[in-house]
Amino acid sequence: MAKRSDLSIFVSTLLLFLPLLMVAEAELGESEKFPVVVSTWPFLEAVRAAWRAVDNGSSAVEAVVEGCSACEELRCDGTVGPGGSPNENGETMIDALVMDGVTMEVGAVAAMRYVKDGIRAANLVMKYSQHTLLAGEGASAFAISMGLPGPMNLSSPESVKKWSDWKDNRCQPNFRKNVVPENDCGPYKPNNDRMDISGDIRTESCKMGTIEYKPPLIGPHNHDTISMAVIDKMGHIAVGTSTNGATFKIPGRVGDGPIAGSSAYADDEVGGCGATGDGDIMMRFLPCYQVVESMRQGMKPEEAAKDAMSRIARKFPDFVGAVVAVDKKGSHAGACHGWTFQYSVQNPDMDDVQVFTVLPSD
């Protein structure tokens, strides 16, 4: 009887702790999926830099900063960091953002001059101010006061030549519309003769020999952003972006790079998103906020990404852009419109960074 009683106690105890053992096993399985690094485009060295940081125990925010900073130093595709994408005045400016999915804090800089370290400047805004976004020379002054090197010239021989060739081509293409230049490269004034009472361009103006000004083609080498999401070993998520903006933009232009919810967004309870493309259009729709909220409502990353793109395409069928989504479990997917998109991933199942190719949806 004593042995049977002892056996009963053992079985009862085992049944009591079995659910706890199952939970522990499940948590172990989940932890094996982390950390995760996801980035727009095949910016392999940037992803490796973020992976080294997070795999060695850095937080998601720290790893995002390291990854985007590596891309700035490498001047990825000429569209990130100093030395690329001159504006109409031939000057390179920096936009960047970092967002902590745990606290929902954001730091960002826009149209920043004289300081090359965009993502580190954005992180300083988040850490040492109660603001979300600093712009222009104020952003530069703050970054330098917090210890970043500067002021410095952000142009390069390549960006200066690109700008010079553009000037020789009568400053075409550019981002102006409904204007008349006093000479080939401005100054510009409104072309009221071409507007009807509603403000729309008259179609017959083309027959009168008026020059049609078309914006530069949008592509990975003239209009791009690194947008990165990192989930650390604790399962916390952060996102970051950095870009020197659209080539030949009007001075003062700010794209979607430093706009939370447009170029990137993160929420620990759901996941994160990064975006790239025509920021002037995409920022009107906050696609990354939309992606995260769609995942919150139960959509898978692929569904959420495609839905965000389709919302923009319905209004602007000719726009070019892409998003990459990652949920809190590390599942990821991308979607694009108007071009073929690639994004990069590294997780514990991979020996090195893997690049995924996404074709535009119909």
Side-chain angles (χ1 to χ4, degrees):
M1 292 293 292
K3 290 183 178 181
R4 188 172 298 175
S5 177
D6 291 343
L7 180 61
S8 299
I9 293 173
F10 173 77
V11 171
S12 299
T13 304
L14 181 62
L15 291 174
L16 178 65
F17 285 97
L18 185 59
L20 298 177
L21 294 172
M22 292 173 66
V23 169
E25 183 180 1
E27 289 180 348
L28 180 61
E30 290 295 332
S31 68
E32 291 173 352
K33 297 180 180 179
F34 304 140
V36 178
V37 179
V38 180
S39 173
T40 53
W41 304 115
F43 296 147
L44 306 186
E45 292 305 319
V47 174
R48 289 175 182 139
W51 176 259
R52 286 192 297 270
V54 73
D55 196 42
N56 287 328
S58 293
S59 70
V61 169
E62 293 167 337
V64 161
V65 171
E66 290 304 312
C68 291
S69 180
C71 210
E72 292 171 345
E73 292 173 9
L74 292 168
R75 302 183 180 185
C76 292
D77 275 346
T79 60
V80 179
S85 299
N87 63 16
E88 285 188 345
N89 293 338
E91 186 177 9
T92 298
M93 295 183 175
I94 305 293
D95 294 341
L97 170 146
V98 63
M99 181 173 187
D100 186 338
V102 179
T103 64
M104 307 303 287
E105 289 180 295
V106 174
V109 292
M112 184 173 69
R113 311 168 72 188
Y114 312 133
V115 177
K116 65 181 179 63
D117 300 298
I119 191 69
R120 296 192 189 281
N123 195 37
L124 291 171
V125 173
M126 185 172 73
K127 290 177 65 176
Y128 298 115
S129 84
Q130 296 187 46
H131 300 308
T132 292
L133 172 64
L134 296 180
E137 294 189 20
S140 307
F142 178 84
I144 293 169
S145 75
M146 292 292 105
L148 291 183
M152 63 181 65
N153 183 1
L154 300 186
S155 298
S156 67
E158 294 80 8
S159 68
V160 171
K161 184 180 186 306
K162 183 182 291 187
W163 177 69
S164 178
D165 291 345
W166 177 75
K167 295 278 284 186
D168 291 341
N169 193 42
R170 303 171 62 204
C171 297
Q172 291 297 316
N174 63 46
F175 288 93
R176 305 279 179 167
K177 69 177 185 179
N178 306 336
V179 295
V180 175
E182 291 186 8
N183 57 55
D184 289 343
C185 292
Y188 301 88
K189 63 181 181 180
N191 186 2
N192 295 321
D193 292 340
R194 296 187 61 213
M195 309 296 289
D196 63 22
I197 194 169
S198 67
D200 294 329
I201 299 175
R202 295 173 181 164
T203 56
E204 63 266 28
S205 63
C206 297
K207 301 176 182 178
M208 299 170 63
T210 303
I211 297 173
E212 290 295 325
Y213 291 94
K214 297 181 180 180
L217 294 175
I218 307 303
H221 301 291
N222 71 351
H223 201 103
D224 190 29
T225 302
I226 180 171
S227 188
M228 177 179 285
V230 174
I231 304 177
D232 62 26
K233 290 184 176 181
M234 300 298 293
H236 300 315
I237 189 166
V239 292
T241 69
S242 184
T243 181
N244 50 42
T247 306
F248 311 133
K249 57 186 172 286
I250 299 170
R253 179 261 189 185
V254 174
D256 69 331
I259 307 302
S262 187
S263 66
Y265 196 74
D267 188 329
D268 239 31
E269 298 176 355
V270 183
C273 168
T276 182
D278 189 346
D280 286 297
I281 289 177
M282 296 178 75
M283 68 194 299
R284 304 169 191 173
F285 294 83
L286 299 179
C288 275
Y289 178 79
Q290 182 64 57
V291 165
V292 172
E293 289 308 303
S294 293
M295 290 194 297
R296 191 191 307 276
Q297 298 303 318
M299 283 191 186
K300 301 295 185 183
E302 182 176 6
E303 295 175 295
K306 288 182 176 179
D307 174 72
M309 289 292 92
S310 68
R311 290 169 182 263
I312 305 175
R314 285 197 294 269
K315 298 290 186 179
F316 294 92
D318 295 328
F319 100 98
V320 174
V323 293
V324 58
V326 57
D327 67 19
K328 65 181 181 181
K329 296 181 180 180
S331 298
H332 55 84
C336 60
H337 184 87
W339 58 6
T340 297
F341 172 58
Q342 291 183 304
Y343 69 94
S344 306
V345 179
Q346 187 160 8
N347 64 34
D349 295 330
M350 302 173 182
D351 294 330
D352 196 6
V353 186
Q354 291 187 13
V355 177
F356 295 80
T357 299
V358 182
L359 299 178
S361 302
D362 294 335

